[in-house]
Structure formats: C-alpha cells, structure tokens
Amino acid sequence: MRPLPSSRSTGPADTDLLAAYAAGDQSAARELTRRFTPRIFAVAQRMLHDPAEAEDVTQEAMLRLWRIAPNWQKNGAKVSTWLYRITSNLCVDRLRKRREHTTDAIPEMADDTQGVVTRLEESDRAAALSAALAALPERQRLAIVLRHMEERSNPEIAEIMETSIEAVESLLTRARRALAAELTPRRSELGLAGEPQ
Amino acid sequence: MTGRMDGSMTTDRDHADAASLEAFFAAARKETVAPRLELMNAILADAAGLDAERAAAAPRVSRAAPKPQALGARLAGLFAGLGGWRVAAALIVCTAIGFSAGLSGSVSLSNNFGIYDTASYDDTATGVTALYDLALAEG
C-alpha cells in the first residue's frame, strides 16, 4: 500500500500546517496544496472522467479545507481522510446530477472503449478500465478508485465513505465482479492473453 | 473466505477477480494526470483570499504580555499625571511641611475669624462634656 501523502513528505504534520495556515502562514497553504491537490484531483478525474469538472471539485474541496482550518479538531480525522471524503461526496453529487440530466453517458464511454484498441497496451488497459468503471454505480466506483488506485486501506475507505468495513467489502466484491465480467473477455485484445488470471 | 492484514475479507472468487484485474489497476495507476498550474494557483488564491477575509473580520491582537516598566519610567509616568516634575516636587515639599507641623502641634486653626490654640483647646465651652456626664448618670 502506498503511504499517505503526508508521510511521503518530510516536514511538518498536516494538522500543524493547517494550524499554521489558520494563523496566517501562506507558506503552509502552499505546502498543503502541493501535498493534497494532485491526490484529490486524481480521484476526481477518475470518478468524473472530465478534467474541467475534476478541477472544479478539487478547488471546492481545497476551499472547504481552508474554511475549516481555524476550527480543525487536531484529534479528529486525518486531513487526507477528510479531504478524500469531501472529494468523494462532491464527485458522487455531480455524478447523480449528471445521471438526472443525461441518459447516454455510458454508451458514449463504450464507444470510446472501442477506439482504444489502436493505442498502446497499457494505455488501452487504463482506458478500458476507465470505461468499465464509468458503468458502475457511484459508490462501487468510488470504492474501487480508493482501494485500487489510491491504495487506501478498507478501514480508511469505510471512514471516507462513512460506512462500515463490511459494506466496503461488499461494494468492492460486487464492483470487482462486474469489472472482471466486462474486462476478462478482452484480456487477449489488451495484451494479457498469456498472463495468469 | 480469507482474512487479510488490510482488514478485507475475500472469497476465492473475489480473489481471482482482483488478480485478473490487477494489470488494469496497475495501468490506471500509471495514468495519473498532474493538475494544471492554473488550478494550483487558483487554490492558493482562495487560501490567501480567505485568510485576508478572516484578518479583516477579526484583526489579530498580540497576545504577548506587556513588558514590566523600569522604576524610573513608572515614576515619570506618575509625575506626568500629576502635572510634571516641578508640580510633583512642590506637592512633596508641602506634604512634608504639613506632616511635621502636625507632629509639633504648634500651628493654630482659625474658627469664625478667631484663633484657637489647638494645644489648649477646652471642649467645656461647647457643652459636650456636660452631655457625657448626663449619660453616665443615667447609667
């Protein structure tokens, strides 16, 4: 599992940086932005498949972090977990609104999937997974992104999604089954024919 | 079903699903797109803007305790309050003269333009003594 963003960075703890920002230290804001923006932008991008919307969500999540900074409870949730939760909620909200207004988003993704066979194999696999993810229900998609791309632990995912570890397990199991059903038949086309399943 | 160190419980089928998908997950992890510089700058501008708003709403007050003043500075402040060094010195001299005169008992006080000798003052003229006597007699 990849370490948390904060532990990859040498220097002050996330909570200390947040307190420093609340006291008016703009260099603390720069460091927090450097630590967290790439991570939450990646989640938003994987959830939404739209760079502009992912940027909006990322900016909104960070804005909420700046707002809560003076009242941050040092013994509460980790800054990273809190940010993942805000980002996840914003993404799910947008996906639900999008679903209310459009009904053909998934076929568009499927069309895109048909075109990826001409690209490089790894890029093809990433694109195929992205398209398959887009067809999953929001919470299953979120669980997969957090578990397999952000490499969070199940207990942390449960905290981010404000649910039980068992519920996370259930979401992951159903999501992996659906993804495997979609992607396994395409293994040879995506250069994985000889590799163990 | 098997338990894992990361808190997950998996069935054999789920394990097989995860294994078959791992090449796809690995490819997706490599595809991370870095946020644009404009986004980073917009986020920092938000941080600075909110900080400025907070500063305007509640100006920061220094919580450092005031340093204790030196004795000379404190006296200077006191004398300034009294009207300056000269006034303060005159006040001290007058106080000393009054104090010494009170101790020696040599100063007389005027009463209705007449002069009383404070050392030989007799209260029988006021009738006060007679009142004391009457009270004692009544028990």
Side-chain angles (χ1 to χ4, degrees):
Chain A
M1 182 180 300
R2 259 189 304 190
L4 287 167
S6 54
S7 58
R8 282 189 288 123
S9 309
T10 55
D14 301 332
T15 49
D16 292 340
L17 285 170
L18 207 51
Y21 163 69
D25 182 356
Q26 286 299 307
S27 67
R30 276 195 295 279
E31 177 60 17
L32 286 167
T33 302
R34 189 189 67 77
R35 284 185 189 183
F36 291 114
T37 299
R39 308 302 310 159
I40 61 175
F41 176 71
V43 171
Q45 170 69 6
R46 284 171 173 141
M47 287 294 291
L48 299 168
H49 302 284
D50 182 326
E53 274 201 289
E55 286 190 348
D56 287 348
V57 163
T58 304
Q59 188 172 359
E60 175 64 26
M62 291 302 288
L63 183 62
R64 292 187 188 192
L65 181 67
W66 306 140
R67 283 198 181 123
I68 204 172
N71 304 315
W72 185 264
Q73 300 294 313
K74 198 159 188 173
N75 297 324
K78 285 188 290 188
V79 177
S80 58
T81 301
W82 186 89
L83 266 175
Y84 276 127
R85 184 186 302 154
I86 296 294
T87 306
S88 301
N89 290 340
L90 289 169
C91 287
V92 169
D93 285 348
R94 283 183 179 245
L95 287 170
R96 286 178 180 162
K97 280 180 190 165
R98 194 189 286 175
R99 192 176 52 192
E100 286 168 11
H101 293 104
T102 59
T103 54
D104 56 352
I106 292 170
E108 280 177 11
M109 287 292 183
D111 290 342
D112 181 58
T113 309
Q114 293 300 313
V116 299
V117 291
T118 57
R119 299 181 201 162
L120 294 172
E121 282 182 349
E122 275 211 328
S123 184
D124 287 352
R125 288 173 208 155
L129 176 63
S130 179
L133 271 177
L136 292 179
E138 292 94 358
R139 286 177 69 79
Q140 288 186 29
R141 189 189 315 182
L142 179 59
I144 288 287
V145 167
L146 292 171
R147 183 73 185 90
H148 293 287
M149 295 173 204
E150 294 304 310
E151 300 182 280
R152 304 293 99 195
S153 68
N154 286 0
E156 189 182 359
I157 295 169
E159 199 178 341
I160 291 167
M161 296 181 72
E162 298 179 281
T163 188
S164 66
I165 295 172
E166 292 75 18
V168 169
E169 269 299 306
S170 173
L171 284 169
L172 285 170
T173 300
R174 282 180 282 148
R176 282 191 289 246
R177 193 158 300 167
L179 290 176
E182 174 70 23
L183 296 172
T184 301
R186 302 183 57 201
R187 289 180 65 83
S188 58
E189 142 193 3
L190 295 167
L192 295 168
E195 296 189 24
Q197 290 191 26
Chain B
M1 187 173 283
T2 55
R4 293 189 345 199
M5 292 297 288
D6 61 4
S8 64
M9 299 293 289
T10 57
T11 62
D12 290 341
R13 179 176 171 188
D14 186 45
H15 188 70
D17 286 340
S20 73
L21 293 169
E22 185 46 41
F24 293 94
F25 294 141
R29 285 195 291 270
K30 287 182 187 171
E31 289 262 307
T32 303
V33 179
R36 294 184 309 133
L37 187 60
E38 288 84 349
L39 174 62
M40 304 290 269
N41 288 336
I43 288 168
L44 285 174
D46 286 343
L50 267 183
D51 186 51
E53 275 178 30
R54 277 195 287 263
R60 291 190 183 87
V61 177
S62 172
R63 292 180 185 172
K67 290 181 180 176
Q69 288 184 311
L71 179 62
R74 275 186 285 173
L75 281 176
L78 179 64
F79 292 152
L82 291 172
W85 280 99
R86 289 183 180 179
V87 175
L91 184 63
I92 290 168
V93 169
C94 290
T95 304
I97 290 171
F99 188 69
S100 62
L103 284 178
S104 69
S106 60
V107 177
S108 296
L109 298 175
S110 66
N111 183 15
N112 293 335
F113 309 109
I115 302 298
Y116 282 129
D117 181 0
T118 56
S120 59
Y121 177 72
D122 184 2
D123 61 6
T124 53
T126 64
V128 174
T129 308
L131 287 173
Y132 281 134
D133 290 343
L134 181 61
L136 285 169
E138 287 177 353

